[in-house]
Amino acid sequence: MNTGGRLIAGSHNRNEFVLINADENARIRSLQELSGQTCQICGDDIELSVNGELFVACNECAFPVCRPCYEYERREGNQACPQCKTRYKRIKGSPRVQGDDEEDDDDDLDHDGMMDPELVAEAALSSRLNTGRGGSPGSQIPLLTYGDEDDDMYSDRHALILPPSTGYGNRVHPAPFTDSSYAPSQARSMVPQKDIAEYGYGSVAWKDRMEVWKKRQAEKLHVIKHDGDELDDPDMPMMDEGRQPLSRKLPIRSSRINPYRMLILCRLAILCLFFHYRILHPVNDAYGLWLTSVICEIWFAVSWILDQFPKWYPIQRETYLDRLSLRYEKEGKPSGLAPVDVFVSTVDPLKEPPLITANTVLSILAVDYPVDKVACYVSDDGAAMLTFEALSDTAEFARKWVPFCKKFSIEPRAPEWYFCQKMDYLKNKVHPSFVRERRAMKRDYEEFKVKINALVATAQKVPEEGWTMQDGTPWPGNNVRDHPGMIQVFLGHSGVRDTDGNELPRLVYVSREKRPGFDHHKKAGAMNSLIRVSAVLSNAPYLLNVDCDHYINNSKAIREAMCFMMDPQSGKKVCYVQFPQRFDGIDRHDRYSNRNVVFFDINMKGLDGIQGPIYVGTGCVFRRQALYGFDAPKKKKPPGKTCNCWPKWCCLCCGLRKKGKTKAKDNKTNLKDTTSTQIHAVENIQEGAIVAVSNVGKRSEANQLKLEKKFGQSPVFVASAVMQEGGVPRNASPACLLREAIQVISCGYEDKTEWGKEIGWIYGSVTEDILTGFKMHCHGWRSVYCMPKRPAFKGSAPINLSDRLHQVLRWALGSVEIFLSRHCPIWYGYGGGLKWLERFSYINSVVYPWTSLPLIVYCSLPAVCLLTGKFIVPEISNYAGILFMLMFMSIAVTGILEMQWGGVGIDDWWRNEQFWVIGGASSHLFALFQGLLKVLAGVDTNFTVTSKAADDGAFSELYIFKWTTLLIPPTTLLIINIIGVIVGVSDAISNGYDSWGPLFGRLFFALWVIVHLYPFLKGMLGKQDRMPTIIVVWSILLASILTLLWVRVNPFVAKGGPVLEICGLSCGN
């Protein structure tokens, strides 16, 4: 598709369509240029088949005849070619006529009740958009208030090429709806002087096909011996590298996983004994505290079970990139790798700097993958001209950056992170010009960076009249909440190549239409718009979704995913491949657990052994058909054992044989009825009747209406949606694709469809990622967790306390929304393909915010016990002491074993434990109340975009203190527990040695809370080289407490008051 580098803006609902900056140098080819031949009988254009080849009626002389004329000649004429007088042979998909030889293939009429969705969509696509010969001219499309009229863009002049299955226009002969899945032979020149027998249908064509078939078989049977590789299937013979599996599972070693599983069972038994003791030994003088603590502990136990058992089958995976290349990239042949559409989403360029987005786009364009197989779509949901201009400059810089990356195989391919990495960049570099070209490229990038920074500085102050483009055209997105849809193809059209003259991947800017009064569904709606516009323009069978701050750190990341998706044995049931998230710019201590290593390296490995990891919102390669809501292909069961091996006198077999005979008899009867119906249909055709054809048309129309109700009113998109292997409909003109692309991103396109309900990213939660992955797993799909040695993607994370808590708040709010919706995994999806342990994981992902209530109560109990002198446990006996010791030991050993098989350090594990308490006492609690208000009372909460600022210093944001209400609950817990510790110690000092024994249990309980909240306390204190105001407040508070305690625990005053003695002096004298 060539737009000449022009911005396309328009609104389908308002019937607006315009090309901004239109010129005369980039015109779309006409219908005649695209098709090439016309029918010599009726004058209509020769149709193209599904594979793009012209329809050939006569295989002897290739006389140009369209399919309707061919059908008419066979049905009503002399059934012969007008030029060579050779009788027309029946082509697959055509109804039989008298004189046809008996053939093995079936007619379309035999299967008129089971219409292929792809054929239905193709027919509707042509019938609705084709304006063939004799068609009525379409209405003129009004332009916006600016721009020039482009005569080539009207659909009434250049809409579609007629497919072989359509005949709904005003043609000479009405064409019946027939099968378009045939594959006609290539038209070839003939010598009329020679005998026709030399060019018979079975001679030349058959010999050519046999030669190709023999060549393919020789390639397949070329066996090379290899040593060392073991296959998952022991019965599968060893074949050459190109035919072996593209990946394999690596189970955790039994020496590590078996003790871990045994310990889980032991811990479960200890937990039962612990609750048996706790329930049967209440504390009578503190019954309320005891009951509250038992309820909280039961909730924690259930939460632990939901989190622990999905880790029962942890696995790792290994990919073979060399086998992928051998299988799909054979020398001298076009690459067989599947195309991939990459989605990058951004909203606010002030919170998501354009420089970061530009680095992400550059890393995608330079990925190690065939350039004609990659298309990058950038969704600007804020319609910001800053993002548009930055992307335009990025496309220009990519012409230099992409060939540099591929020439020297550099990693990573995001220039900001490549030039700032502290390592020897000359390692393994042998090219003599590398140093010179690297210096020049670094200088070019610095100039590019200054240009982007200048754009950001200019965008800080918006003009009163709004932004204007370089040619003076008003920017269509000046009103962020009311603007048309916009599409700009920066790269990928003809004439734009890199500095070495090579093609570049396609780069498309997309900003969906927004109008007041429509619910745009935030990020999920933007992603669904990208699905549709990419399906119209490129329609790759696989999609890669990344956030604007997650660049490709491993240039072979897409190939890693294709090892699972394109594996012929196990890839057909894989809906997505999820990569772990890795982050840059986080301090070494990671005090707020931003890396989330425990989740990505332990929990996700466990899920991969069940049905696959959950979708985490970025770094994920999807199968497009799975996003469309289709069910996973069902595995064919092997044929069951029959009773042929048993004697005839077996009574059990007699009944089975009788049932089998009855069933066979019924099948014969049905077959006879079907054959009779087919004969009548053929007779009708022979008599010139079109009753059967009209019935087929009615069924196809009904199927088309069903598809449109599901996918929307775009015939181009519906036609692309049923193409399992992807690809744009070949009978669609570029002008039609442009118009359809604007339509599918209109704000009202999803009305009365299944978008957001069963198709695409699912609506109803700000964490649409969890909900979308959950729906796919319910359809029977499985996902794969891919952890290459070099991290596939890296991004930035909020490292200061306030931003981190707001990020966790958004995640928890989405979980609460899912819990209160019909998609809650507790009661949704039964009877589908979701496995039980996978369901446990999804239940845990939506239930964890509710843990904030018992967590806050439980963290308050130590302070209450210290202040009141009571405790939640009675006097501990030897049996109780052993139980408590076993409980704590099982918790510690379980964590140690998880760290071993997960490869997680103790620092990361401990930070995760600390932030579980911090997040549960702050963000999860607020998310719970916000979710209840939103679902029950209709009070909506705003979506806060996490800031992704550029690096202005080493961990400069770590010490930024931003006051927020999320800090109140943890601060309160800290204060009351510190006061409780001081009061408890003071009482022990006052009461003597005997009071220290009962105090140790209460002190341990309180110190457990304080130690877990220590990173929160450190974040509130700020940077060490300055004195924040909060420290002054803390100092005054603690000084007041110590003063009051000093008055109470005055060592110079006796416990019972002063002792007065007679001094012996006579004071009266």
Side-chain angles (χ1 to χ4, degrees), residues 115 120 698-708:
M115 301 300 298
V120 174
K698 290 180 181 179
R699 290 188 179 92
S700 65
E701 184 178 357
N703 291 338
Q704 175 64 19
L705 292 176
K706 184 177 180 181
L707 290 174
E708 289 184 353

Side-chain angles (χ1 to χ4, degrees), residues 232-504:
D232 293 337
D233 187 0
D235 298 330
M236 182 179 179
M238 290 295 296
M239 297 176 294
D240 61 297
E241 286 286 339
R243 300 181 64 189
Q244 290 187 12
L246 303 179
S247 64
R248 68 169 180 172
K249 297 179 182 179
L250 297 176
I252 307 298
R253 287 187 299 178
S254 58
S255 60
R256 291 185 176 182
I257 195 62
N258 288 338
Y260 174 72
R261 292 171 178 169
M262 292 177 61
L263 185 62
I264 291 176
L265 298 178
C266 293
R267 184 175 172 182
L268 188 62
I270 294 172
L271 198 62
C272 295
L273 296 176
F274 172 80
F275 282 114
H276 179 267
Y277 171 81
R278 291 281 283 133
I279 294 174
L280 295 181
H281 294 78
V283 182
N284 296 324
D285 57 343
Y287 191 81
L289 293 176
W290 168 82
L291 182 61
T292 303
S293 64
V294 170
I295 294 175
C296 295
E297 289 165 357
I298 292 175
W299 180 272
F300 295 150
V302 174
S303 179
W304 170 77
I305 291 175
L306 293 176
D307 179 71
Q308 188 67 64
F309 279 93
K311 306 174 189 175
W312 190 264
Y313 300 103
I315 63 170
Q316 295 177 342
R317 295 183 185 270
E318 185 180 42
T319 57
Y320 301 101
L321 299 180
D322 52 346
R323 296 179 184 176
L324 181 73
S325 298
L326 287 173
R327 183 185 291 268
Y328 295 106
E329 292 181 304
K330 297 181 179 180
E331 186 177 357
K333 296 183 180 180
S335 174
L337 294 175
V340 179
D341 290 338
V342 186
F343 296 166
V344 182
S345 58
T346 181
V347 180
D348 188 353
L350 299 180
K351 291 185 177 180
E352 300 169 331
L355 186 62
I356 292 181
T357 305
N359 274 270
T360 301
V361 172
L362 289 171
S363 68
I364 294 171
L365 298 178
V367 71
D368 184 8
Y369 209 73
V371 292
D372 59 328
K373 306 286 187 178
V374 178
C376 178
Y377 294 84
V378 179
S379 170
D380 179 18
D381 217 31
M385 187 176 176
L386 172 58
T387 303
F388 178 83
E389 293 292 342
L391 203 61
S392 177
D393 293 336
T394 303
E396 183 64 26
F397 179 72
R399 299 179 63 244
K400 305 176 184 178
W401 175 251
V402 172
F404 171 75
C405 294
K406 294 187 176 182
K407 181 178 181 181
F408 299 109
S409 302
I410 67 169
E411 297 284 357
R413 299 190 176 181
E416 180 69 24
W417 302 105
Y418 170 70
F419 289 119
C420 73
Q421 60 183 348
K422 298 178 181 179
M423 60 174 293
D424 183 13
Y425 64 86
L426 297 178
K427 186 178 181 180
N428 299 328
K429 295 296 185 292
V430 296
H431 204 285
S433 63
F434 172 70
V435 176
R436 182 179 68 256
E437 294 191 28
R438 185 182 186 276
R439 290 174 181 172
M441 184 55 61
K442 187 174 183 180
R443 182 175 61 253
D444 292 339
Y445 175 68
E446 290 174 350
E447 294 175 357
F448 166 74
K449 191 174 180 179
V450 170
K451 188 181 296 185
I452 298 296
N453 292 336
L455 290 176
V456 175
T458 305
Q460 298 297 324
K461 187 177 181 181
V462 182
E464 294 182 358
E465 65 278 5
W467 296 107
T468 57
M469 303 182 72
Q470 294 180 357
D471 61 345
T473 305
W475 173 245
N478 278 324
N479 190 342
V480 179
R481 299 181 180 178
D482 188 4
H483 64 82
M486 293 175 284
I487 298 176
Q488 169 79 54
V489 182
F490 285 108
L491 299 175
H493 52 81
S494 60
V496 179
R497 295 177 178 268
D498 61 21
T499 54
D500 293 344
N502 300 319
E503 293 184 5
L504 288 168

Side-chain angles (χ1 to χ4, degrees), residues 364-653:
I364 294 171
L365 298 178
V367 71
D368 184 8
Y369 209 73
V371 292
D372 59 328
K373 306 286 187 178
V374 178
C376 178
Y377 294 84
V378 179
S379 170
D380 179 18
D381 217 31
M385 187 176 176
L386 172 58
T387 303
F388 178 83
E389 293 292 342
L391 203 61
S392 177
D393 293 336
T394 303
E396 183 64 26
F397 179 72
R399 299 179 63 244
K400 305 176 184 178
W401 175 251
V402 172
F404 171 75
C405 294
K406 294 187 176 182
K407 181 178 181 181
F408 299 109
S409 302
I410 67 169
E411 297 284 357
R413 299 190 176 181
E416 180 69 24
W417 302 105
Y418 170 70
F419 289 119
C420 73
Q421 60 183 348
K422 298 178 181 179
M423 60 174 293
D424 183 13
Y425 64 86
L426 297 178
K427 186 178 181 180
N428 299 328
K429 295 296 185 292
V430 296
H431 204 285
S433 63
F434 172 70
V435 176
R436 182 179 68 256
E437 294 191 28
R438 185 182 186 276
R439 290 174 181 172
M441 184 55 61
K442 187 174 183 180
R443 182 175 61 253
D444 292 339
Y445 175 68
E446 290 174 350
E447 294 175 357
F448 166 74
K449 191 174 180 179
V450 170
K451 188 181 296 185
I452 298 296
N453 292 336
L455 290 176
V456 175
T458 305
Q460 298 297 324
K461 187 177 181 181
V462 182
E464 294 182 358
E465 65 278 5
W467 296 107
T468 57
M469 303 182 72
Q470 294 180 357
D471 61 345
T473 305
W475 173 245
N478 278 324
N479 190 342
V480 179
R481 299 181 180 178
D482 188 4
H483 64 82
M486 293 175 284
I487 298 176
Q488 169 79 54
V489 182
F490 285 108
L491 299 175
H493 52 81
S494 60
V496 179
R497 295 177 178 268
D498 61 21
T499 54
D500 293 344
N502 300 319
E503 293 184 5
L504 288 168
R506 180 177 296 183
L507 176 61
V508 184
Y509 169 87
V510 179
S511 181
R512 58 177 174 153
E513 181 186 13
K514 286 191 175 181
R515 302 296 181 189
F518 287 89
D519 188 358
H520 302 290
H521 301 288
K522 301 174 182 177
K523 181 181 177 181
M527 299 306 297
N528 285 337
S529 295
L530 284 183
I531 293 179
R532 296 191 295 269
V533 74
S534 65
V536 172
L537 299 182
S538 55
N539 195 33
Y542 302 105
L543 312 174
L544 169 60
N545 154 235
V546 294
D547 287 342
C548 66
D549 62 323
H550 273 71
Y551 64 90
I552 297 182
N553 183 65
N554 185 348
S555 61
K556 299 184 182 296
I558 298 181
R559 292 178 178 268
E560 295 276 355
M562 290 301 108
C563 287
F564 300 104
M565 289 292 194
M566 300 185 68
D567 193 304
Q569 296 181 10
S570 60
K572 294 181 179 180
K573 293 197 67 175
V574 177
C575 58
Y576 61 82
V577 177
Q578 178 65 62
F579 292 88
Q581 293 185 18
R582 300 291 186 244
F583 301 98
D584 289 315
I586 299 177
D587 65 305
R588 180 171 57 89
H589 301 289
D590 190 19
R591 65 170 65 160
Y592 305 128
S593 188
N594 283 283
R595 294 191 179 94
N596 213 355
V597 179
V598 173
F599 174 76
F600 286 111
D601 290 8
I602 295 180
N603 295 67
M604 297 288 267
K605 287 181 181 179
L607 292 175
D608 197 18
I610 305 172
Q611 198 175 349
I614 64 176
Y615 169 44
V616 297
T618 183
C620 187
V621 178
F622 288 96
R623 185 182 299 274
R624 188 183 286 268
Q625 292 295 313
L627 279 171
Y628 286 161
F630 294 111
D631 292 333
K634 295 182 179 180
K635 186 177 180 180
K636 294 183 179 180
K637 296 182 179 180
K641 295 182 179 180
T642 62
C643 296
N644 296 333
C645 57
W646 295 96
K648 294 183 179 180
W649 46 264
C650 180
C651 58
L652 295 176
C653 298

